Amino acid sequence: MPAPAPAPAGEGAAERAFPQGFVWGTATASYQIEGAAAEDGRTPSIWDTYSHTPGKVAGGDNGDVADDHYHRFREDIAIMKRLGLASYRFSVAWPRITPQVGPDALGPVNEAGLAFYSTLVDELIAAGIEPAVTLYHWDLPQALEDAGGWTARATAERFAEYAEVVAGALGDRVRTFITLNEPWCSAYLGYASGVHAPGRTEPAAALAAVHHLNLAHGLGAAAVRRAAPGARVALTLNLAWVRTEGSSDADHDAVRRVDGLQNRVFLDPVLRGSYPADVLADTAEVTDWSFVLDGDVELIHQPLDVLGVNYYSPTVVRAWDGSGPRAEADGHGASSHSPWVGSHHLIEFPELPGPKTDMGWSIDARGMTELLLRIHREHPGLEVMVTENGAAYPDVVVGGRVHDLERTRYLRDHLHAVLDAVDAGAPVTGYYLWSFLDNFEWGYGYSKRFGVVHVDYTTQERTLKDSALWYSAVVARNAVPVETAG
Ligand code: FCB
């Protein structure tokens, strides 16, 4: 790897400081980086099946090799160390830990799978980097999907048993366990619009998945506490900053509907112990929610130590009366099936003017501040970490460098947005940049690059992008510069 150029932020530059002890990290997910799909006993996940199904993933890409992180994790940790990162959020691949899991039993623990993560944790700690472990970032064992996946209650029960195994093995060294990453995507993109694994397009199934994911969080949180009493339990949600530019009652109702489906159907059972009545009413034509059994919401309503928030882009919605073509710029991939279960016939998502990332996602850092302040208002005292934020751009390596100034600007603006919320009193204690490495971006395959470290997928060579050097300086100074060079 070429020597890094001097970082653009430095001594004397105007900057804003973060609170002392603020945690700086980067994030990844197992299927997106590990590769080694059939090694050391790992069995297929829904993403192996989905990506190997022709036509599902751009370019026919799959995670068989990905960033080969399974073999190169020491090199990757050395890069993190060089960047001065304090923490690393990664996920554990369930099919490595209990490869023979089925709906009725967890099956034997695969010691080779556990050993990989145990060594990863040891090496991180030796490098002075605190691990933060996500237990489920979308790679459900295929055998569980074959028995109904997240539409089946058994999946939530097996998840809790798996969570107990992982927390029991790593909890002596890992302080933070995140039960689920973005259950919104697992449920609605996996079971309603079908643009994520398992690719089902059944609206009622998506709502059953919502509930069983919430239940998995609750049962999993209790399991982590049993196995690792000293650990902190977190849940990561991709909350939407939803707004409308319209002024009619129907426009405001569109905001309420999207807020319900994306934010409150997860936040309310977890933090308040009830499902929002308006969401149950909005979806009554789709399901009677009879999969919610007596006592379930109490199981979901566990104490939460940290809420993880992933934020990339704003959500702008308006009422749709069916008279013209429906605007579908919701940023969640093209599908003739909508993820907006129960409401798609009433709402649309207009294309916004202004800058966008390579994902076509609009850039508006205000949404980060608004979201963090909303949580602070509605759940005062709840500790929050930004567990993902970042941007894709079509980066190229030129002479051993990647001049990704747009990413640096995106990061700078969103870090200022985090600080605006902190200055207004929101207890935000950390920030994990998505992503450490370029990686398998789900339905987009390798065509979208989110990393601050570039990966050449032919040679597996890693190259620090300029944004990595900029971020490294932010971390070192615990402060974000007001201006960005270039
Ligand atoms: C989030 C996912 C993460 C990555 C980013 C871009 O929804 O959690 O794995 O794909 O988006």
Side-chain angles (χ1 to χ4, degrees), residues 7-10 13-14 404-416 466-467 470-471 474 480-486:
D404 59 340
L405 185 60
E406 287 171 296
R407 179 175 292 102
T408 299
R409 287 190 175 131
Y410 177 101
L411 296 172
R412 176 201 62 192
D413 291 350
H414 285 76
L415 286 175
H416 280 286
D466 288 354
S467 58
W470 179 88
Y471 188 56
V474 168
V480 58
V482 172
E483 298 293 337
T484 302

Side-chain angles (χ1 to χ4, degrees), residues 73-114:
F73 66 94
R74 287 189 175 82
E75 177 192 343
D76 290 337
I77 292 171
I79 298 171
M80 288 181 220
K81 183 175 181 183
R82 181 164 156 201
L83 293 175
L85 302 177
S87 186
Y88 174 50
R89 172 183 178 234
F90 63 90
S91 79
V92 173
W94 186 351
R96 291 196 194 281
I97 306 300
T98 61
Q100 310 309 325
V101 62
D104 302 322
L106 191 63
V109 172
N110 175 28
E111 294 303 332
L114 265 187

Side-chain angles (χ1 to χ4, degrees), residues 9-32:
E11 217 53 70
E15 63 183 20
R16 290 172 74 194
F18 278 72
Q20 282 250 316
F22 192 82
V23 175
W24 295 101
T26 58
T28 63
S30 45
Y31 191 72
Q32 297 184 271

